[in-house]
Amino acid sequence: MLLSKSFNKINIKRLSTLKKKIMTCKKLAPVGITDKNINENVVKLQYAVRGPIPSRAIEIEKDLKNKKEGKYAFSRTIRANIGDAQAMGQKPFTYVRQMISAISLLSLESNHREALNYLPSDVVLRAKEIVDSMDGKSMGAYTNSTGIARISQNVQTYIHERDAKGHGELSKDIQNILKNQSESISGVVDMDDGFQSEHVFLSAGASAAIRTMLTLLIGSKNVKQSGIMIPVPQYPLYSASIDEYNMKSIPYYLNESNGWSMEIEELERSLEQHKAKCTPRAIVVINPGNPTGNVLTLENLVKIVQFAYKNNLIILSDEVYQYNVYDKNLKFYSMKSVVKELGLPITLASFHSISKGYFGECGLRGGYCELYNASDFTWNMIKKVLSVNLCPSTISQSVIDLLVNPPKKDEISFNQYYNDMDAVLSELKLKAQMVTDKLNEIEGITCNPVKGAMYAFPQIQIPEKAILKAKELKVEPDSLYCMELLENHGVCVVPGSGFLQKPDTYHFRTTILPPKELLTEMLEIIKQFHYEFTKKYA
Amino acid sequence: MLLSKSFNKINIKRLSTLKKKIMTCKKLAPVGITDKNINENVVKLQYAVRGPIPSRAIEIEKDLKNKKEGKYAFSRTIRANIGDAQAMGQKPFTYVRQMISAISLLSLESNHREALNYLPSDVVLRAKEIVDSMDGKSMGAYTNSTGIARISQNVQTYIHERDAKGHGELSKDIQNILKNQSESISGVVDMDDGFQSEHVFLSAGASAAIRTMLTLLIGSKNVKQSGIMIPVPQYPLYSASIDEYNMKSIPYYLNESNGWSMEIEELERSLEQHKAKCTPRAIVVINPGNPTGNVLTLENLVKIVQFAYKNNLIILSDEVYQYNVYDKNLKFYSMKSVVKELGLPITLASFHSISKGYFGECGLRGGYCELYNASDFTWNMIKKVLSVNLCPSTISQSVIDLLVNPPKKDEISFNQYYNDMDAVLSELKLKAQMVTDKLNEIEGITCNPVKGAMYAFPQIQIPEKAILKAKELKVEPDSLYCMELLENHGVCVVPGSGFLQKPDTYHFRTTILPPKELLTEMLEIIKQFHYEFTKKYA
């Protein structure tokens, strides 16, 4: 642009030519994207964990960095809005990081990769195996759209082994559950139907895989909108994607007064209420629960599968917290083991990730989806959709390989790997308890125990005056609460309304991830703030 | 599943219980995704570079690996179907790989990162800078959805410096072009409108960024479908995404007989023909061209911007091959420099990638989009859409940083970096010439010179009988051609129909990426095959 600041040495003659040109122009109307012509679904979608409150936290952090501390009553923020373990100081696994380093160096000429000699030999050996499975023996090449074949095979093996453990007991328990049902559904799959098939695709995080599956379910032009059953509260990826894809949410409430349990009567009520307005297509189950921290029982899972089968819904099972169970009386059961045991020919997509669990490698964007009981048609369509995005990152794929295929007992890195795992999981367990205890000490806050995942979702009492104030400001009452907590104390948590919640109840979601001392401080701040807030709006 | 192969030690009592249960069941109808209830746009979409012919090549490779060589007249395939340089043996940049290694190790305790001492000190220093800009000083943390702020700033600086070079001349040339136009459009942007804004977001490859931009343009429920102008031939990402998003393609033909030039009369004709059936929203420009290998002239670019502005179209400028210009008489001009110089308030999104150019790091999935002249509203909507996918991989972001901010003259890695660059670009230049020459030697094949990008898109004469045969097999004639080339000789190229082409013309796309000797062999094979094919169907 001739008159811009960047290029101001302008030739006067040229300027006069330009001026003449301008004279001949009509008023320059802008050509762009406006609120009138944008995709309306994009306007609708909301993603609270990165919404207005976390955005404001980023602004405040910028101010603090630029030494504008005077504006705030605190000198640092505490970020508990997102399940981002390493941002909160969790250490990465030594094995994972050494492996990435080795994979990266292996394609170089030997004189440029001397550093390899200073990595454990088992790491280098394994890195070589991984690199050898890549085209051109380099992580710089594209892979299959579904991921490197060898790695998806390792994922399948991992799932088989995981589900074989304790299978006898699971099987017995399910039989008992079935016996006690007045009207039970189970069966034997006709293998000729292409059921009992198992397919795995790797993805840029579980989110990407979930969105791929939802894409397949978008209703066609001349049919009713597709309906997706989602728990409430839920992780906003679901509500946001459902809005973006012009589908309908069919929300079912988890029972807060019973530890956020999932109740079949509620599933039935919700489906009944919504089914006239849309075509129900799938049920989303998040287990362990985000944001609720609950862990589903086996009986629950059996009933969910039966409900889904009876109502012609495929199952999307979000299992990214499968390693994050802290209550010693509870156990994670994979949805697949239940579907398999029940023998129902129902398509199940289950999801896992390197971002949560113990690796906490959110920044690398790696996940996978296993499809069970999917027809060849479905699988071919998935492959086609995935191909448009080419492939997930080779590094994230490699880290999935490490997740499903950890070092063996006789390998140098074995102890290091399991020490790193213990360190992460025992710390999380401790913090889950700490958050539960401390929140329940606060008058006006009640919180179900954090039994799994990485979050607490306490219910907060909000005074009538604050609710009126929020109405006036056109925000949700718990948004007002969280915003004041942030502005006054620098603590960033996400309002419950961002996850959906029962009408006239208010919550927030906090992670349990800040380092212990900071977490203690944060919980103290929340206690003090809740008192202040209640007093202010009394 | 009780009767499955996996768990066959079944308790007889349980089996009988199960059998009773089954008796109470009606026939077990499968619940899944079928051709009746799938998203119809997914069925429609086609992505040729990963379509049936490359899929068949993967099958053949599997066979060859499993020593089923007897089935084929060759013992290895030659993959020229996708722009995947490192899969074809291109060496990665030493600097890039050492940097990834260092970034990965830096978050470990000092006793686990001894290898760092054996990487160049400037690499480690720079890696530390990058890691310090990440949350928790670790690549394991999420970043802003638009990418790490410091890196997007570096991208902006890079774009400014790139466009400042030769700006004086560009400016003069554009003035001359304008002077010679009978009715020229240019102007001065009113800065108050939020125009002249510059925003950058990082992405999982240019493809992801392009799809994000297209998402914004999807038409709302009660309006006409959005139309996107695309060149023909085009890269199938565009046609596939347009189909997936239920938009309409508005194809404009590049002029093959004039070196695949872009002609404004053709843009006008095409728009005129399609505008009643859809709402035209954007024009896609691929420069340098994929699959055509052409490079647009400055005059062309000026006219495209004027055309877009006049017709209320935003511009999507795919510039991933901006470093890949082989004809010394041609030059890459960024669309932004042209829009800026013309002073028109038109939103431009331009795209770049670490997958092409000289890095060729396809597997890492890194790209960026610069938005120029976009309103705050547009930018906020983009941020919201991006937030649902959390963020691009931290490693890919870091490699973008290296692309836009290479080592300085006084740094240890400076020479290595530019040697690596010369090696890649001079080899590509040589191969571009080689492919052009050899293809034109074949009777029945004509090929415009490969002036840029990484592909040749020769026109092939297909005998009438082969056309009839293809019709019989319900495939495109050039698909038949490419399939026979693959089955008989193991050479994998993509049929022109996958990129769209003028009716009754036939082409294929080959990359210029195989190593020189293999490329020579491949071109010989194509020559021989074309002769055979012509004879077979004479």
Side-chain angles (χ1 to χ4, degrees), chain A residues 93-291:
Chain A
F93 271 43
T94 304
Y95 188 67
V96 171
R97 295 310 191 86
Q98 289 177 335
M99 190 70 68
I100 294 173
S101 170
I103 289 172
S104 180
L105 292 175
L106 268 168
S107 320
L108 298 180
E109 304 290 341
S110 53
N111 55 328
H112 297 306
R113 59 188 210 194
E114 199 194 348
L116 275 182
N117 303 329
Y118 301 89
L119 293 170
S121 59
D122 66 328
V123 166
V124 178
L125 216 65
R126 175 76 181 275
K128 211 173 153 333
E129 259 179 51
I130 294 176
V131 167
D132 283 348
S133 69
M134 293 168 171
D135 281 348
K137 297 190 193 298
S138 169
M139 72 175 187
Y142 291 119
T143 72
N144 287 346
S145 306
T146 53
I148 295 167
R150 200 181 137 280
I151 298 180
S152 4
Q153 277 153 22
N154 286 342
V155 170
Q156 291 199 326
T157 309
Y158 157 78
I159 292 173
H160 283 163
E161 287 173 1
R162 178 197 67 189
D163 289 348
K165 266 184 237 157
H167 172 257
E169 208 178 328
L170 173 109
S171 184
K172 211 160 56 187
D173 291 346
I174 289 189
Q175 291 313 316
N176 281 332
I177 292 166
L178 290 178
K179 244 187 278 176
N180 293 328
Q181 289 185 332
S182 56
E183 186 201 359
S184 82
I185 314 178
S186 66
V188 176
V189 171
D190 183 352
M191 294 189 52
D192 298 339
D193 273 354
F195 283 91
Q196 285 197 327
S197 65
E198 290 168 341
H199 298 287
V200 166
F201 67 88
L202 311 185
S203 58
S207 295
I210 292 165
R211 284 165 62 82
T212 297
M213 289 309 301
L214 287 174
T215 297
L216 298 187
L217 301 176
I218 297 175
S220 294
K221 243 177 303 171
N222 302 316
V223 301
K224 271 194 287 193
Q225 274 174 297
S226 295
I228 309 292
M229 295 195 74
I230 55 172
V232 169
Q234 50 98 47
Y235 183 63
L237 166 69
Y238 295 99
S239 50
S241 300
I242 288 169
D243 282 342
E244 182 181 340
Y245 296 161
N246 194 29
M247 299 166 134
K248 276 258 177 234
S249 292
I250 307 180
Y252 60 89
Y253 293 115
L254 302 177
N255 188 345
E256 184 168 12
S257 58
N258 190 23
W260 295 117
S261 64
M262 198 166 158
E263 290 166 6
I264 301 302
E265 299 68 31
E266 169 58 14
L267 292 180
E268 280 160 355
R269 178 205 65 75
S270 170
L271 188 64
E272 199 52 45
Q273 184 189 330
H274 291 88
K275 72 182 181 191
K277 284 168 279 178
C278 60
T279 306
R281 295 296 309 276
I283 180 167
V284 171
V285 180
I286 311 175
N287 181 39
N290 176 5

Side-chain angles (χ1 to χ4, degrees), chain B residues 378-407:
Chain B
T378 308
W379 180 237
N380 285 331
M381 290 297 123
I382 288 172
K383 282 197 288 186
K384 209 168 59 154
V385 172
L386 292 174
S387 72
V388 185
N389 283 315
L390 295 152
C391 69
S393 129
T394 46
I395 290 180
S396 73
Q397 295 188 44
S398 307
V399 176
I400 287 177
D401 200 42
L402 308 184
L403 182 74
V404 299
N405 195 4

Side-chain angles (χ1 to χ4, degrees), chain A residues 32-102:
Chain A
I33 299 172
T34 68
D35 55 348
K36 302 283 183 294
N37 66 18
I38 196 169
N39 176 354
E40 65 186 3
N41 297 320
V42 166
V43 178
K44 219 162 53 183
L45 83 85
Q46 294 300 337
Y47 193 67
V49 292
R50 300 207 151 201
I53 288 172
S55 299
R56 175 65 187 135
I58 294 173
E59 274 176 39
I60 293 176
E61 282 160 14
K62 250 191 229 161
D63 280 353
L64 293 174
K65 217 172 157 187
N66 298 333
K67 307 286 171 213
K68 296 187 187 162
E69 286 135 337
K71 291 174 74 175
Y72 308 99
F74 48 87
S75 57
R76 54 92 203 84
T77 61
I78 302 176
R79 294 285 289 275
N81 58 296
I82 191 162
D84 191 357
Q86 292 194 27
M88 284 289 109
Q90 182 180 303
K91 282 275 156 211
F93 271 43
T94 304
Y95 188 67
V96 171
R97 295 310 191 86
Q98 289 177 335
M99 190 70 68
I100 294 173
S101 170

Side-chain angles (χ1 to χ4, degrees), chain B residues 43-206:
Chain B
V43 178
K44 218 162 52 184
L45 83 85
Q46 294 302 337
Y47 193 66
V49 290
R50 300 209 151 199
I53 289 172
S55 299
R56 176 65 187 136
I58 294 173
E59 274 175 40
I60 293 176
E61 283 160 15
K62 252 192 225 160
D63 280 352
L64 293 174
K65 220 174 155 182
N66 298 332
K67 306 284 171 215
K68 297 187 189 162
E69 286 136 340
K71 292 174 73 173
Y72 307 99
F74 48 88
S75 57
R76 54 93 201 84
T77 62
I78 302 176
R79 295 285 290 277
N81 59 297
I82 190 163
D84 192 356
Q86 293 195 25
M88 286 288 110
Q90 182 180 304
K91 282 276 158 210
F93 270 43
T94 304
Y95 187 68
V96 171
R97 295 311 191 87
Q98 290 177 335
M99 189 70 69
I100 294 174
S101 173
I103 289 172
S104 181
L105 293 173
L106 269 169
S107 320
L108 297 179
E109 305 289 342
S110 53
N111 54 328
H112 297 306
R113 58 185 211 197
E114 201 197 345
L116 275 182
N117 303 330
Y118 301 88
L119 293 170
S121 59
D122 65 328
V123 167
V124 178
L125 216 67
R126 176 76 182 277
K128 209 170 156 331
E129 256 178 55
I130 294 176
V131 168
D132 283 349
S133 69
M134 294 169 172
D135 281 348
K137 297 189 194 295
S138 169
M139 72 174 187
Y142 292 119
T143 72
N144 287 346
S145 306
T146 52
I148 295 167
R150 200 182 136 279
I151 298 180
S152 4
Q153 277 153 21
N154 286 343
V155 171
Q156 291 199 327
T157 308
Y158 158 77
I159 292 173
H160 283 163
E161 287 173 1
R162 178 197 68 189
D163 290 347
K165 266 184 237 156
H167 172 258
E169 206 176 331
L170 172 109
S171 184
K172 210 160 55 189
D173 291 345
I174 290 189
Q175 291 314 316
N176 281 332
I177 293 166
L178 290 179
K179 247 188 278 175
N180 294 328
Q181 290 184 332
S182 56
E183 186 199 5
S184 80
I185 312 178
S186 66
V188 176
V189 171
D190 183 352
M191 296 189 53
D192 299 339
D193 272 351
F195 283 89
Q196 283 198 327
S197 66
E198 291 167 342
H199 298 287
V200 166
F201 67 87
L202 311 185
S203 59

